Amino acid sequence: MRHSLPTINWVRLPDGSDPDQRHYATQSVQGVLRVAAAVGFPSVGVDTVTAAGFVDGREDELAGHFRTAGVLLRNGA
């Protein structure tokens, strides 16, 4: 059985009013992973919007957040 860890307002998406507007996280990845680990989630999937924020050579940074929290990265649902 799989359970979902709801994240309210995790990512703010562009509203279309500004062509240069980009998505951004409203909560830290570290904070979300700490909560997931604290309530017993052994793994967490990452959506494409969140993962896209860790491109350009920073994939190791995202992986490091998972290691620090003691949570496994699970491929998308």
mmCIF file of all heavy atoms in Angstrom, residues 13-45:
data_model
loop_
_atom_site.group_PDB
_atom_site.id
_atom_site.type_symbol
_atom_site.label_atom_id
_atom_site.label_comp_id
_atom_site.label_asym_id
_atom_site.label_seq_id
_atom_site.Cartn_x
_atom_site.Cartn_y
_atom_site.Cartn_z
ATOM 1 N N LEU A 13 3.342 27.950 -8.923
ATOM 2 C CA LEU A 13 3.468 27.920 -10.370
ATOM 3 C C LEU A 13 3.167 29.300 -10.951
ATOM 4 O O LEU A 13 2.394 30.068 -10.385
ATOM 5 C CB LEU A 13 2.512 26.879 -10.956
ATOM 6 C CG LEU A 13 2.770 25.444 -10.496
ATOM 7 C CD1 LEU A 13 1.673 24.520 -11.020
ATOM 8 C CD2 LEU A 13 4.134 24.965 -10.952
ATOM 9 N N PRO A 14 3.753 29.616 -12.109
ATOM 10 C CA PRO A 14 3.489 30.908 -12.744
ATOM 11 C C PRO A 14 1.994 31.045 -13.056
ATOM 12 O O PRO A 14 1.334 30.075 -13.401
ATOM 13 C CB PRO A 14 4.304 30.850 -14.033
ATOM 14 C CG PRO A 14 5.295 29.768 -13.838
ATOM 15 C CD PRO A 14 4.694 28.803 -12.866
ATOM 16 N N ASP A 15 1.483 32.264 -12.941
ATOM 17 C CA ASP A 15 0.071 32.491 -13.234
ATOM 18 C C ASP A 15 -0.157 32.972 -14.654
ATOM 19 O O ASP A 15 -1.289 33.228 -15.064
ATOM 20 C CB ASP A 15 -0.537 33.471 -12.234
ATOM 21 C CG ASP A 15 0.102 34.860 -12.292
ATOM 22 O OD1 ASP A 15 0.885 35.141 -13.226
ATOM 23 O OD2 ASP A 15 -0.185 35.663 -11.392
ATOM 24 N N GLY A 16 0.910 33.140 -15.424
ATOM 25 C CA GLY A 16 0.790 33.543 -16.822
ATOM 26 C C GLY A 16 0.824 35.044 -17.042
ATOM 27 O O GLY A 16 0.826 35.499 -18.177
ATOM 28 N N SER A 17 0.841 35.829 -15.981
ATOM 29 C CA SER A 17 0.823 37.282 -16.129
ATOM 30 C C SER A 17 2.181 37.846 -16.551
ATOM 31 O O SER A 17 2.248 38.937 -17.094
ATOM 32 C CB SER A 17 0.375 37.946 -14.825
ATOM 33 O OG SER A 17 1.301 37.655 -13.787
ATOM 34 N N ASP A 18 3.235 37.105 -16.299
ATOM 35 C CA ASP A 18 4.592 37.566 -16.624
ATOM 36 C C ASP A 18 5.310 36.434 -17.342
ATOM 37 O O ASP A 18 5.515 35.367 -16.767
ATOM 38 C CB ASP A 18 5.319 37.930 -15.340
ATOM 39 C CG ASP A 18 6.761 38.387 -15.566
ATOM 40 O OD1 ASP A 18 7.248 38.352 -16.721
ATOM 41 O OD2 ASP A 18 7.399 38.773 -14.576
ATOM 42 N N PRO A 19 5.699 36.638 -18.594
ATOM 43 C CA PRO A 19 6.339 35.548 -19.350
ATOM 44 C C PRO A 19 7.664 35.088 -18.756
ATOM 45 O O PRO A 19 8.109 33.979 -19.008
ATOM 46 C CB PRO A 19 6.537 36.133 -20.750
ATOM 47 C CG PRO A 19 6.387 37.601 -20.603
ATOM 48 C CD PRO A 19 5.556 37.847 -19.375
ATOM 49 N N ASP A 20 8.302 35.925 -17.935
ATOM 50 C CA ASP A 20 9.573 35.549 -17.307
ATOM 51 C C ASP A 20 9.390 34.926 -15.923
ATOM 52 O O ASP A 20 10.365 34.525 -15.286
ATOM 53 C CB ASP A 20 10.496 36.768 -17.190
ATOM 54 C CG ASP A 20 10.938 37.280 -18.548
ATOM 55 O OD1 ASP A 20 11.102 36.446 -19.470
ATOM 56 O OD2 ASP A 20 11.099 38.503 -18.691
ATOM 57 N N GLN A 21 8.160 34.869 -15.466
ATOM 58 C CA GLN A 21 7.886 34.309 -14.143
ATOM 59 C C GLN A 21 8.174 32.814 -14.147
ATOM 60 O O GLN A 21 7.831 32.105 -15.078
ATOM 61 C CB GLN A 21 6.425 34.567 -13.782
ATOM 62 C CG GLN A 21 6.068 34.259 -12.364
ATOM 63 C CD GLN A 21 4.603 34.581 -12.082
ATOM 64 O OE1 GLN A 21 3.766 34.462 -12.968
ATOM 65 N NE2 GLN A 21 4.316 34.978 -10.875
ATOM 66 N N ARG A 22 8.802 32.323 -13.111
ATOM 67 C CA ARG A 22 9.158 30.912 -13.002
ATOM 68 C C ARG A 22 8.531 30.326 -11.747
ATOM 69 O O ARG A 22 8.135 31.039 -10.839
ATOM 70 C CB ARG A 22 10.660 30.754 -12.953
ATOM 71 C CG ARG A 22 11.369 31.381 -14.142
ATOM 72 C CD ARG A 22 12.686 30.727 -14.390
ATOM 73 N NE ARG A 22 13.430 31.386 -15.422
ATOM 74 C CZ ARG A 22 13.263 31.179 -16.722
ATOM 75 N NH1 ARG A 22 12.370 30.338 -17.136
ATOM 76 N NH2 ARG A 22 14.008 31.824 -17.609
ATOM 77 N N HIS A 23 8.490 28.992 -11.709
ATOM 78 C CA HIS A 23 7.999 28.327 -10.500
ATOM 79 C C HIS A 23 9.059 28.434 -9.405
ATOM 80 O O HIS A 23 10.228 28.645 -9.684
ATOM 81 C CB HIS A 23 7.685 26.856 -10.782
ATOM 82 C CG HIS A 23 8.892 26.054 -11.119
ATOM 83 N ND1 HIS A 23 9.370 25.961 -12.409
ATOM 84 C CD2 HIS A 23 9.740 25.344 -10.346
ATOM 85 C CE1 HIS A 23 10.456 25.207 -12.407
ATOM 86 N NE2 HIS A 23 10.701 24.817 -11.172
ATOM 87 N N TYR A 24 8.618 28.323 -8.182
ATOM 88 C CA TYR A 24 9.564 28.304 -7.074
ATOM 89 C C TYR A 24 8.953 27.548 -5.905
ATOM 90 O O TYR A 24 7.738 27.462 -5.761
ATOM 91 C CB TYR A 24 9.976 29.717 -6.650
ATOM 92 C CG TYR A 24 8.840 30.584 -6.157
ATOM 93 C CD1 TYR A 24 8.518 30.625 -4.800
ATOM 94 C CD2 TYR A 24 8.092 31.348 -7.037
ATOM 95 C CE1 TYR A 24 7.474 31.414 -4.343
ATOM 96 C CE2 TYR A 24 7.057 32.130 -6.584
ATOM 97 C CZ TYR A 24 6.748 32.169 -5.246
ATOM 98 O OH TYR A 24 5.714 32.950 -4.800
ATOM 99 N N ALA A 25 9.814 26.997 -5.101
ATOM 100 C CA ALA A 25 9.370 26.247 -3.926
ATOM 101 C C ALA A 25 8.991 27.227 -2.825
ATOM 102 O O ALA A 25 9.678 28.215 -2.607
ATOM 103 C CB ALA A 25 10.472 25.321 -3.442
ATOM 104 N N THR A 26 7.894 26.943 -2.142
ATOM 105 C CA THR A 26 7.474 27.782 -1.023
ATOM 106 C C THR A 26 7.909 27.186 0.308
ATOM 107 O O THR A 26 7.765 27.822 1.343
ATOM 108 C CB THR A 26 5.952 27.976 -1.020
ATOM 109 O OG1 THR A 26 5.325 26.704 -0.895
ATOM 110 C CG2 THR A 26 5.489 28.659 -2.295
ATOM 111 N N GLN A 27 8.425 25.960 0.280
ATOM 112 C CA GLN A 27 8.951 25.281 1.467
ATOM 113 C C GLN A 27 10.303 24.696 1.085
ATOM 114 O O GLN A 27 10.524 24.352 -0.072
ATOM 115 C CB GLN A 27 8.026 24.145 1.913
ATOM 116 C CG GLN A 27 6.614 24.580 2.200
ATOM 117 C CD GLN A 27 6.526 25.509 3.392
ATOM 118 O OE1 GLN A 27 7.205 25.307 4.389
ATOM 119 N NE2 GLN A 27 5.705 26.533 3.284
ATOM 120 N N SER A 28 11.178 24.534 2.040
ATOM 121 C CA SER A 28 12.487 23.971 1.728
ATOM 122 C C SER A 28 12.378 22.460 1.512
ATOM 123 O O SER A 28 11.570 21.785 2.165
ATOM 124 C CB SER A 28 13.487 24.259 2.851
ATOM 125 O OG SER A 28 13.195 23.459 3.983
ATOM 126 N N VAL A 29 13.181 21.951 0.607
ATOM 127 C CA VAL A 29 13.245 20.511 0.386
ATOM 128 C C VAL A 29 13.659 19.815 1.678
ATOM 129 O O VAL A 29 13.091 18.796 2.059
ATOM 130 C CB VAL A 29 14.244 20.170 -0.750
ATOM 131 C CG1 VAL A 29 14.484 18.685 -0.832
ATOM 132 C CG2 VAL A 29 13.750 20.707 -2.075
ATOM 133 N N GLN A 30 14.627 20.400 2.367
ATOM 134 C CA GLN A 30 15.103 19.810 3.611
ATOM 135 C C GLN A 30 13.968 19.678 4.624
ATOM 136 O O GLN A 30 13.836 18.656 5.296
ATOM 137 C CB GLN A 30 16.237 20.644 4.225
ATOM 138 C CG GLN A 30 17.434 20.824 3.346
ATOM 139 C CD GLN A 30 17.373 22.119 2.534
ATOM 140 O OE1 GLN A 30 16.343 22.492 1.992
ATOM 141 N NE2 GLN A 30 18.506 22.794 2.421
ATOM 142 N N GLY A 31 13.162 20.698 4.760
ATOM 143 C CA GLY A 31 12.060 20.666 5.713
ATOM 144 C C GLY A 31 11.031 19.605 5.380
ATOM 145 O O GLY A 31 10.571 18.866 6.263
ATOM 146 N N VAL A 32 10.667 19.508 4.121
ATOM 147 C CA VAL A 32 9.687 18.507 3.701
ATOM 148 C C VAL A 32 10.230 17.101 3.947
ATOM 149 O O VAL A 32 9.526 16.226 4.454
ATOM 150 C CB VAL A 32 9.297 18.696 2.219
ATOM 151 C CG1 VAL A 32 8.452 17.543 1.713
ATOM 152 C CG2 VAL A 32 8.542 20.017 2.042
ATOM 153 N N LEU A 33 11.499 16.869 3.627
ATOM 154 C CA LEU A 33 12.087 15.539 3.832
ATOM 155 C C LEU A 33 12.217 15.206 5.313
ATOM 156 O O LEU A 33 12.010 14.053 5.711
ATOM 157 C CB LEU A 33 13.443 15.446 3.138
ATOM 158 C CG LEU A 33 13.381 15.493 1.611
ATOM 159 C CD1 LEU A 33 14.785 15.518 1.023
ATOM 160 C CD2 LEU A 33 12.575 14.342 1.057
ATOM 161 N N ARG A 34 12.552 16.195 6.151
ATOM 162 C CA ARG A 34 12.615 15.950 7.597
ATOM 163 C C ARG A 34 11.255 15.527 8.137
ATOM 164 O O ARG A 34 11.154 14.610 8.950
ATOM 165 C CB ARG A 34 13.104 17.199 8.331
ATOM 166 C CG ARG A 34 14.609 17.347 8.358
ATOM 167 C CD ARG A 34 15.068 18.378 9.381
ATOM 168 N NE ARG A 34 14.407 19.664 9.260
ATOM 169 C CZ ARG A 34 14.836 20.671 8.496
ATOM 170 N NH1 ARG A 34 15.939 20.529 7.780
ATOM 171 N NH2 ARG A 34 14.184 21.803 8.451
ATOM 172 N N VAL A 35 10.205 16.190 7.690
ATOM 173 C CA VAL A 35 8.850 15.826 8.122
ATOM 174 C C VAL A 35 8.504 14.430 7.638
ATOM 175 O O VAL A 35 7.972 13.604 8.391
ATOM 176 C CB VAL A 35 7.812 16.860 7.638
ATOM 177 C CG1 VAL A 35 6.396 16.353 7.848
ATOM 178 C CG2 VAL A 35 8.017 18.190 8.345
ATOM 179 N N ALA A 36 8.815 14.134 6.377
ATOM 180 C CA ALA A 36 8.527 12.800 5.823
ATOM 181 C C ALA A 36 9.221 11.717 6.643
ATOM 182 O O ALA A 36 8.618 10.696 6.987
ATOM 183 C CB ALA A 36 8.968 12.729 4.361
ATOM 184 N N ALA A 37 10.487 11.943 6.979
ATOM 185 C CA ALA A 37 11.231 10.963 7.767
ATOM 186 C C ALA A 37 10.651 10.848 9.177
ATOM 187 O O ALA A 37 10.515 9.748 9.709
ATOM 188 C CB ALA A 37 12.709 11.354 7.836
ATOM 189 N N ALA A 38 10.279 11.971 9.770
ATOM 190 C CA ALA A 38 9.770 11.975 11.143
ATOM 191 C C ALA A 38 8.464 11.201 11.289
ATOM 192 O O ALA A 38 8.213 10.602 12.333
ATOM 193 C CB ALA A 38 9.577 13.412 11.624
ATOM 194 N N VAL A 39 7.648 11.203 10.243
ATOM 195 C CA VAL A 39 6.375 10.490 10.328
ATOM 196 C C VAL A 39 6.460 9.085 9.746
ATOM 197 O O VAL A 39 5.462 8.393 9.652
ATOM 198 C CB VAL A 39 5.205 11.287 9.700
ATOM 199 C CG1 VAL A 39 4.997 12.589 10.436
ATOM 200 C CG2 VAL A 39 5.424 11.511 8.216
ATOM 201 N N GLY A 40 7.673 8.671 9.340
ATOM 202 C CA GLY A 40 7.882 7.285 8.958
ATOM 203 C C GLY A 40 7.855 6.945 7.491
ATOM 204 O O GLY A 40 7.802 5.772 7.123
ATOM 205 N N PHE A 41 7.918 7.938 6.612
ATOM 206 C CA PHE A 41 7.978 7.631 5.186
ATOM 207 C C PHE A 41 9.383 7.122 4.855
ATOM 208 O O PHE A 41 10.366 7.830 5.070
ATOM 209 C CB PHE A 41 7.679 8.868 4.338
ATOM 210 C CG PHE A 41 6.219 9.165 4.194
ATOM 211 C CD1 PHE A 41 5.536 9.806 5.207
ATOM 212 C CD2 PHE A 41 5.535 8.795 3.061
ATOM 213 C CE1 PHE A 41 4.191 10.076 5.095
ATOM 214 C CE2 PHE A 41 4.186 9.061 2.935
ATOM 215 C CZ PHE A 41 3.504 9.699 3.951
ATOM 216 N N PRO A 42 9.504 5.895 4.319
ATOM 217 C CA PRO A 42 10.824 5.376 3.980
ATOM 218 C C PRO A 42 11.358 5.942 2.664
ATOM 219 O O PRO A 42 12.554 5.953 2.424
ATOM 220 C CB PRO A 42 10.595 3.874 3.856
ATOM 221 C CG PRO A 42 9.150 3.746 3.456
ATOM 222 C CD PRO A 42 8.450 4.901 4.120
ATOM 223 N N SER A 43 10.453 6.424 1.813
ATOM 224 C CA SER A 43 10.859 6.976 0.525
ATOM 225 C C SER A 43 9.887 8.079 0.125
ATOM 226 O O SER A 43 8.760 8.133 0.590
ATOM 227 C CB SER A 43 10.887 5.889 -0.555
ATOM 228 O OG SER A 43 9.590 5.366 -0.764
ATOM 229 N N VAL A 44 10.383 8.955 -0.736
ATOM 230 C CA VAL A 44 9.586 10.082 -1.216
ATOM 231 C C VAL A 44 9.848 10.233 -2.702
ATOM 232 O O VAL A 44 10.993 10.164 -3.143
ATOM 233 C CB VAL A 44 9.969 11.390 -0.475
ATOM 234 C CG1 VAL A 44 9.274 12.591 -1.078
ATOM 235 C CG2 VAL A 44 9.652 11.278 1.008
ATOM 236 N N GLY A 45 8.794 10.433 -3.475
ATOM 237 C CA GLY A 45 8.935 10.728 -4.901
ATOM 238 C C GLY A 45 9.032 12.227 -5.097
ATOM 239 O O GLY A 45 8.523 13.009 -4.302
#
